[in-house]
């Protein structure tokens, strides 16, 4: 299995530009999570989906952030407009089910730098 | 609000020098406590899940234990390849699959 796939791996953009991060979960997994990792705040959950439906988006920092999951094999996280404080590593993770025993498998992350 | 505090922030060990990493947590009903390993430039990799006080799990040189307030990750006779950041996370009852992470302990094992 290829694991969770994220693209791009690195993104450098200028303040005010739109940024779109992409994630392909592991085939057969039905829950998907978006995290942001910074040195100061560690790993923070932004939003998660179950069966393509957003369940909890309370971690989304502002209206500038939006996430979609149009089908079971693809999700996007969009930042518009981007700001320097959005610079971080963004991870996508997926799980097979909904129970407490389900392990979250993480992708390699997208390193975002907003100038 | 669920909280996870890990200590120390960084730890330097000599190869073979055993030690423990601490994870203190506050959660409204623990559903599970998770340990992950993260190598530089990579995503976190799952190690263990613990569900109740007194539970222990082992994998190679690592052993995780759980009490009602904290978890320890014991590293026995570490090797340089054990160098990584170790993350602890909690999942609360009624919180779905949401994980709350600590900021991690950065472990460096030297020859």
């Amino acid at each position: 299995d290829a694991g969770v796939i994220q693209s791009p791996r690195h993104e450098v953009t200028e303040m005010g530009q739109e940024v779109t991060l992409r994630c392909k979960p592991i085939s057969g997994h039905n829950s998907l999570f978006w995290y942001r990792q910074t040195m100061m705040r560690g790993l923070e959950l932004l939003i998660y989906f179950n069966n393509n439906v957003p369940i909890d988006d309370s971690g989304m920092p502002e209206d500038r952030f939006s996430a979609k999951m149009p089908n079971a094999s693809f999700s996007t996280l969009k930042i518009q407009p981007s700001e320097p404080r959005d610079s971080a590593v963004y991870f996508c993770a997926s799980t097979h089910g909904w129970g407490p025993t389900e392990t979250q498998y993480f992708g390699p992350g997208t390193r975002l730098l907003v100038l | 609000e669920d909280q996870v505090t890990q200590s120390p922030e960084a730890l330097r060990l000599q190869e073979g020098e055993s030690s423990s990493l601490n994870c203190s947590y506050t959660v409204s009903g623990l559903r599970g406590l998770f340990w992950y390993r993260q190598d530089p430039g990579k995503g976190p990799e799952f190690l263990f899940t613990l569900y109740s006080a007194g539970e222990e799990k082992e994998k190679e040189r690592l052993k995780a234990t759980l009490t009602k307030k904290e978890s320890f990750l014991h590293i026995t006779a570490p090797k340089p390849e054990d160098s990584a950041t170790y993350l602890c996370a909690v999942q609360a009852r009624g919180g779905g699959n949401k994980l709350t992470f600590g900021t991690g302990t950065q472990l460096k094992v030297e020859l």
Side-chain angles (χ1 to χ4, degrees):
Chain A
D1 196 323
V4 175
I5 298 172
Q6 292 186 245
S7 65
R9 292 295 312 278
H10 302 273
E11 177 81 32
V12 180
T13 190
E14 293 188 347
M15 183 174 63
Q17 296 297 306
E18 178 179 296
V19 175
T20 299
L21 311 181
R22 297 173 176 79
C23 175
K24 177 178 169 55
I26 293 173
S27 178
H29 282 194
N30 57 8
S31 293
L32 183 139
F33 306 78
W34 281 102
Y35 290 89
R36 177 171 68 177
Q37 187 174 41
T38 60
M39 290 292 291
M40 289 298 295
R41 300 174 67 88
L43 201 60
E44 300 174 285
L45 178 66
L46 299 176
I47 184 171
Y48 70 96
F49 298 82
N50 188 43
N51 291 325
N52 311 336
V53 176
I55 301 300
D56 185 344
D57 66 354
S58 59
M60 297 286 263
E62 299 170 34
D63 291 344
R64 299 185 295 107
F65 286 69
S66 62
K68 293 182 179 180
M69 192 163 186
N71 57 62
S73 58
F74 183 66
S75 177
T76 59
L77 178 68
K78 187 176 292 186
I79 308 172
Q80 166 64 19
S82 58
E83 296 183 4
R85 59 191 166 126
D86 302 330
S87 298
V89 183
Y90 291 81
F91 288 102
C92 175
S94 69
T95 70
H96 180 265
W98 193 238
T101 59
E102 299 300 336
T103 300
Q104 290 189 21
Y105 294 89
F106 283 77
T110 295
R111 187 172 296 271
L112 173 65
L113 177 62
V114 183
L115 301 174
Chain B
E1 185 179 330
D2 303 335
Q3 286 192 330
V4 178
T5 303
Q6 291 189 246
S7 61
E9 289 185 9
L11 181 62
R12 218 169 202 169
L13 299 174
Q14 295 297 311
E15 185 176 13
E17 180 186 2
S18 301
S19 187
S20 296
L21 313 183
N22 178 263
C23 170
S24 298
Y25 64 90
T26 304
V27 64
S28 54
L30 182 70
R31 195 183 191 195
L33 185 139
F34 300 75
W35 282 98
Y36 282 81
R37 168 190 171 129
Q38 186 174 22
D39 292 298
K42 296 189 176 181
E45 178 184 343
F46 172 76
L47 292 173
F48 306 108
T49 308
L50 301 168
Y51 298 103
S52 57
E55 189 175 0
E56 297 183 355
K57 287 194 176 172
E58 285 188 69
K59 180 180 180 180
E60 296 181 357
R61 295 175 293 282
L62 301 177
K63 183 169 81 171
T65 62
L66 180 65
T67 73
K68 289 188 177 180
K69 294 183 179 180
E70 57 192 350
S71 176
F72 292 93
L73 185 65
H74 306 278
I75 304 176
T76 302
K79 298 182 177 182
E81 52 262 43
D82 295 322
S83 298
T85 296
Y86 291 86
L87 299 169
C88 171
V90 296
Q91 188 178 75
R93 289 200 188 95
N97 271 12
K98 179 177 179 177
L99 292 180
T100 301
F101 280 86
T103 52
T105 293
Q106 191 172 353
L107 174 65
K108 173 81 171 173
V109 182
E110 299 172 330
L111 290 169

